[in-house]
Amino acid sequence: MTSFRPFLYLIILMSFGMQAGVCCAETQPDYDFLVIPLDKSAEFTASLLRQVEKVMAPFTPPKEKLAAVSSFVTDEGCYVLHGDLFGNAQRFVLLELNVESSFEKMATQEKVVGLAKLNAGRWELCALLNVAPVWRPKGWKESENDYLPITPTERPFELEDSSDDGVPEVILAAEVNKYYQQYFMFRWDAKTKSLMCVADSMAKPVLKGGYVILYSNSGRRAIWEEWRFCQWEKDRLIERASWHEEVPYNGPEEPFMLARRMNADGTEVELKAKDGEWVSDTESVYQITRQEKPFARVTFKWSRTLDAVTAVGYYPPGEESACLFEKLTGLSRKLYPANIGEKSLKDLEKSVKILIEGEPAAVQMLSPR
C-alpha cells in the first residue's frame, strides 16, 4: 500500500493564499481524496461492515437505546469510539478498520476509518475515510521495531464542538513526520448523513477566542511556521487572517513576519514586517510593506535596556511581534501563537513608546490604542 502526502495540499493552499487580493472562499482545498465511495465495491464494503458488526456485537442490544460516548481498543489494536457521537439522539460508531489484502486497490492505506449508524438493530456504513490514523497509547516508548520521529497522539480521533452548535466535529490524527503530525477535521453532514472534511492542520486544531486555529510549517529545517485563524460560515471554515514567521535558510532574505487579513469585500491584504533591527540597546525598528510596497516604519523605544528587560524574564522581540500581530491581522494580541517569553507584559504600551511613520493608513492602523 502506498502512503499519501496530504500536507502537499497545505502547500498548494498557501501558494494561492499568499497572493494579494485573493478571495478566501476560492482557496478552499478539495478533500474528496479522503473519502472512499461506499458504492466503489460491494464486496469491499461488506467486508468492512462485517468488522463493524463483530466489534460492536457485545454493545448492540435487541432494542436500541441512547448510549453515552465511550471508547475502547480491540484485541487487534483498533480504536473504537461509539455512542451518541453527534448529539442527535442516534447511535454511531467511529472505528479503525483493517483493509484485507484482496481489497488493496480500494484504499491507499492498510487501515481506514469507518463511521456506522445503528438502524433498527443493524449497523449501516455512513462513511469510509481513506486515512490510516497514527497513534500510540499513553506511556509509549519508541523502539527499533516501533519508531516514529515524534511522539504521536494517544487517541486517533476525538470529538470537539469547535462550531459551538452542539454537533461535535471529528478530529482525526494522521501521519507523523519529523516536525509535525497531520490532522484532519471532519464535520457531520446531516443532509448526506456522512462526514465532510473541512480542514487540515500540522497540529491539532485549537479553538481560541472564537477562532479555529490551524497550523502549518515548512516540514524541513523548521524554516517557517504559519497559523490560520478561521471562523464558521454555516458548514464551512473560512480563513479570516493568518500569521507567518520565517527564518530563511542559507538565503539572502532576512527573517520576516507576514500577515494576511480579510477585507470587508472578502479579498485579502498582505502585510510584511522584517525582523526588528536593534539600532541601540533600548530601541528597535521594523520596516513594513503592504502588497510588497513600503507602508510603515515602526519604532519601539524601551524605557530600559534590552539586557535589563531580558534579565527579569521578559523577551522584547516576542512582545513586539505580538503587538505587530495584533495591528497587522486585526486580531487580539492574546491570540498571538508564537513565543513571547517566560513572562508577558500586561500592557506593552506602558513600558514602551511606539512611533509610527509612513502612510496615513499605516499611522491609523498601527498607532497604539
Side-chain angles (χ1 to χ4, degrees), residues 1-305:
M1 301 241 177
T2 58
S3 174
F4 60 81
R5 296 287 178 180
F7 67 85
L8 290 176
Y9 278 75
L10 280 169
I11 298 173
I12 295 171
L13 174 62
M14 289 183 58
S15 68
F16 283 103
M18 298 284 273
Q19 300 175 42
V22 174
C23 180
C24 288
E26 296 176 356
T27 62
Q28 297 294 319
D30 184 357
Y31 294 108
D32 288 347
F33 72 102
L34 293 173
V35 179
I36 302 173
L38 293 177
D39 59 356
K40 190 171 185 179
S41 166
E43 295 79 9
F44 173 59
T45 304
S47 72
L48 297 180
L49 185 56
R50 285 194 294 270
Q51 291 184 48
V52 175
E53 293 169 340
K54 179 181 178 181
V55 167
M56 295 304 296
F59 304 91
T60 308
K63 292 185 179 180
E64 295 176 30
K65 62 180 181 180
L66 189 64
V69 176
S70 60
S71 64
F72 64 94
V73 179
T74 68
D75 293 339
E76 292 77 20
C78 293
Y79 191 87
V80 181
L81 188 66
H82 66 105
D84 184 16
L85 301 187
F86 305 111
N88 55 7
Q90 295 177 323
R91 195 171 180 194
F92 289 88
V93 59
L94 187 68
L95 73 169
E96 295 177 281
L97 298 169
N98 292 307
V99 177
E100 299 174 14
S101 57
S102 58
F103 296 113
E104 63 180 13
K105 292 183 179 180
M106 299 294 103
T108 61
Q109 308 295 319
E110 294 179 357
K111 282 187 178 181
V112 296
V113 175
L115 176 70
K117 175 187 173 184
L118 188 62
N119 186 17
R122 297 180 63 87
W123 289 102
E124 299 176 351
L125 281 173
C126 299
L128 289 176
L129 308 180
N130 197 16
V131 181
V134 179
W135 65 284
R136 295 293 184 272
K138 186 177 182 179
W140 170 81
K141 302 292 183 182
E142 67 178 54
S143 65
E144 292 183 1
N145 297 324
D146 188 14
Y147 168 78
L148 290 170
I150 61 173
T151 302
T153 182
E154 296 176 2
R155 293 180 292 274
F157 28 80
E158 301 178 62
L159 301 176
E160 292 191 2
D161 186 6
S162 64
S163 53
D164 196 29
D165 64 352
V167 181
E169 281 70 49
V170 176
I171 310 298
L172 195 157
E175 67 174 334
V176 168
N177 286 274
K178 185 175 181 180
Y179 294 106
Y180 67 92
Q181 178 164 19
Q182 188 79 24
Y183 285 80
F184 294 100
M185 178 184 285
F186 290 85
R187 182 166 175 78
W188 168 249
D189 188 335
K191 292 182 180 179
T192 62
K193 294 180 172 55
S194 184
L195 290 175
M196 173 180 64
C197 187
V198 293
D200 60 330
S201 177
M202 290 183 178
K204 184 179 176 182
V206 174
L207 178 62
K208 186 176 181 180
Y211 293 89
V212 176
I213 305 174
L214 308 174
Y215 172 78
S216 57
N217 64 43
S218 59
R220 294 181 66 249
R221 300 191 180 97
I223 295 171
W224 57 260
E225 296 180 282
E226 180 165 297
W227 296 264
R228 293 178 286 150
F229 299 82
C230 306
Q231 290 183 321
W232 289 97
E233 282 191 7
K234 296 182 179 179
D235 289 335
R236 299 181 65 200
L237 271 179
I238 303 298
E239 183 179 314
R240 303 301 187 193
S242 69
W243 182 254
H244 176 109
E245 296 193 356
E246 182 163 342
V247 180
Y249 180 79
N250 283 347
E253 191 169 18
E254 299 175 359
F256 65 89
M257 298 168 285
L258 189 70
R260 294 196 302 273
R261 60 191 294 174
M262 182 185 290
N263 292 325
D265 61 1
T267 59
E268 291 180 342
V269 61
E270 180 181 284
L271 296 140
K272 181 178 181 180
K274 288 186 178 180
D275 224 13
E277 177 186 358
W278 284 85
V279 296
S280 73
D281 59 359
T282 60
E283 190 173 315
S284 64
V285 175
Y286 293 80
Q287 302 291 344
I288 298 177
T289 60
R290 183 175 64 177
Q291 313 302 95
E292 301 183 355
K293 296 180 180 179
F295 184 59
R297 173 187 168 96
V298 181
T299 303
F300 291 87
K301 295 184 177 182
W302 290 75
S303 58
R304 292 183 292 171
T305 66

